[in-house]
Amino acid sequence: MRDRTETMKQWLSWMELLDRWGYITAGFSLLILGMLIFANSWYKFAMASTRTGFLPAGLQLLNDLLLVIIILELFRTVVRFLQTEVLTVEPYLAVGIIACTRRILTASAPLASRISCLRAEAPRRASVKRISPDSSKEWCFLGGRDEP
């Protein structure tokens, strides 16, 4: 019976060690991924701001930076867990709030540009059609026909 409890303790210590190393590798992965996304976002912003204009490129940069903040908040949660061995709810609430803000920005920015496009074309009869029938999110201004 004593051998059985010693074997179980040994297995549990190995599992705890592997769990710790899993968190360490996940933390490093989150940190590296966040840094790569950050660098790539600024590169894409520099290239796109001359091509498409400052506002669309800036909105995409803002979207990417909010993603980096989410990833870094998850990294901080992993580090805090490795230090204290306690998972708290607050970092996940912050990630949720940032993710909602990011979703609102990414959903409202294209809508605002489409509305301004429709206002510019107001004298003509405009037709707005769906790009793909199975997606309600993708709307495109396809132009209009002159009044007869």
Side-chain angles (χ1 to χ4, degrees), residues 93-105:
L93 293 174
V95 166
I97 291 169
I98 295 167
C100 290
T101 304
R102 182 174 172 251
R103 179 69 175 174
I104 289 169
L105 286 173

Side-chain angles (χ1 to χ4, degrees), residues 26-86:
F28 275 121
S29 298
L30 287 170
L31 182 62
I32 292 168
L33 183 64
M35 291 172 20
L36 290 173
I37 291 173
F38 180 80
N40 186 40
S41 299
W42 278 101
Y43 174 75
K44 286 191 319 188
F45 173 74
M47 294 297 125
S49 62
T50 58
R51 254 190 351 258
T52 62
F54 181 77
L55 184 61
L59 288 173
Q60 183 61 43
L61 177 65
L62 179 63
N63 182 35
D64 291 343
L65 290 178
L66 287 173
L67 177 62
V68 169
I69 290 172
I70 289 171
I71 291 171
L72 291 178
E73 190 65 37
L74 292 173
F75 169 74
R76 187 180 315 159
T77 303
V78 169
V79 170
R80 195 172 302 131
F81 173 74
L82 288 171
Q83 291 171 342
T84 63
E85 304 230 354
V86 174

